[in-house]
Amino acid sequence: MSTPKALVIRTAGTNCDLELCRAFTLGGAQVELIHLDRLMANPSQIARFDLIGFPGGFSYGDDIASGRILAMHTREKLLPELLKSAHRGVPMIGVCNGFQVLAQLGLLPGFENGEPCVALTDNDHGRFIDQWVEMTPNPDSNCIWTQGLLEGARSDSVLYPVAHAEGRFVTHDQGVLDQLVLNNQIALRYNEDINGSVENIAGICDPTGRIFGLMPHPERALEWNRHPHWTRLDQDTMSKATPGLNMFIGAIESVVGQSV
């Protein structure tokens, strides 16, 4: 296969789109950053891409609610093409605001009825969080984005930055949560309660493991010198890819592997 092509969708208020582009590039993909308006004018161009990313930020100023307007436009114009991409196995990632969009579209958790049944709402303490947080990948999840995150690591946890005011993960009812647990769709959990998320959920995937949404920002942790304790890290650790970069390397390698 030639170099996989990744699409990053930007619009007014997204502010992590370039970081997400860089993550895909360092992971081994060729990236195009396309404005939502251009995609809505010609949704069929989504079929050109092997991976899709929804970046973080404050799309449309998060008016009404976080990600709501971006999700509305996407549902109206792009959802059929996104569903086609999902059916042909295209990995997708939504980070922070992008996670909120994927949840509102029903692409996550991706149950058969396709209806939204999870949400990211106000942090229980009512404050914006901006800090580095330890979290643990679920070793039983088939999420391609979190496979191999701990390879060569000296801990069962990874450290990612978070920055959100509406990151508390909730489900519509207990049945939805039970199904997420049963299907091992909870791919990433906070090691401690930082925002009131049920089950300390930091990220979930769809049943295929290819569509992934998370509140932390792996694209802000691509180099070890971004790590809050990087001056104390040993050379062996810093000779390996960061957990942030590993997330994109793993997904891109899965695309290449599928085409062989």
Side-chain angles (χ1 to χ4, degrees):
M1 180 183 184
S2 58
T3 303
K5 295 180 180 179
L7 165 66
V8 174
I9 301 172
R10 73 176 183 91
T11 193
T14 52
N15 63 13
C16 293
D17 36 29
L18 293 180
E19 289 92 337
L20 191 57
C21 288
R22 187 163 181 267
F24 277 120
T25 299
L26 292 177
Q30 177 184 342
V31 188
E32 288 189 41
L33 177 63
I34 302 181
H35 195 282
L36 178 68
D37 290 350
R38 283 181 53 203
L39 288 173
M40 290 195 298
N42 180 18
S44 64
Q45 61 187 303
I46 291 175
R48 297 191 291 113
F49 295 97
D50 306 299
L51 303 107
I52 299 173
F54 287 83
F58 305 94
S59 59
Y60 298 98
D62 281 345
D63 288 346
I64 307 175
S66 291
R68 184 69 55 83
I69 296 175
L70 176 53
M72 178 189 68
H73 286 312
T74 303
R75 183 184 299 108
E76 181 182 2
K77 296 291 187 178
L78 304 183
L79 187 55
E81 287 297 329
L82 290 173
L83 289 173
K84 289 179 186 176
S85 294
H87 291 153
R88 64 185 174 90
V90 172
M92 303 182 196
I93 188 170
V95 180
C96 200
N97 204 248
F99 185 10
Q100 293 156 338
V101 171
L102 291 180
Q104 293 175 49
L105 292 174
L107 289 171
L108 287 174
F111 294 162
E112 288 185 4
N113 61 15
E115 292 297 319
C117 58
V118 302
L120 288 306
T121 189
D122 294 335
N123 299 339
D124 62 351
H125 45 63
R127 298 188 304 275
F128 184 87
I129 308 172
D130 183 9
Q131 64 190 68
W132 285 73
V133 177
E134 280 195 357
M135 50 202 74
T136 301
N138 178 2
D140 297 319
S141 173
N142 67 338
C143 179
I144 64 169
W145 298 88
T146 58
Q147 296 292 317
L149 283 187
L150 299 177
E151 287 182 8
R154 298 185 178 182
S155 168
D156 292 334
S157 299
V158 293
L159 199 64
Y160 290 132
V162 298
H164 59 254
E166 297 177 51
R168 176 166 60 97
F169 182 91
V170 296
T171 62
H172 284 195
D173 54 52
Q174 183 63 39
V176 172
L177 180 60
D178 291 343
Q179 192 167 350
L180 289 174
V181 173
L182 181 65
N183 294 347
N184 276 314
Q185 288 179 245
I186 302 172
L188 198 62
R189 283 185 171 92
Y190 302 114
N191 286 9
E192 58 182 301
D193 181 5
I194 67 163
N195 57 18
S197 292
V198 64
E199 291 270 335
N200 285 341
I201 291 173
I204 65 169
C205 64
D206 76 329
T208 71
R210 290 189 291 269
I211 301 177
F212 181 45
L214 72 167
M215 287 309 297
H217 287 269
E219 81 286 4
R220 296 183 183 179
L222 302 177
E223 289 93 4
W224 285 113
N225 62 8
R226 304 297 191 269
H227 192 285
H229 313 305
W230 76 276
T231 57
R232 285 175 268 167
L233 298 176
D234 58 70
Q235 290 301 314
D236 182 62
T237 296
M238 291 198 293
S239 68
K240 301 179 175 67
T242 67
L245 181 55
N246 264 335
M247 189 170 284
F248 294 89
I249 291 173
I252 293 166
E253 286 180 348
S254 76
V255 171
V256 174
Q258 287 177 354
S259 65
V260 174

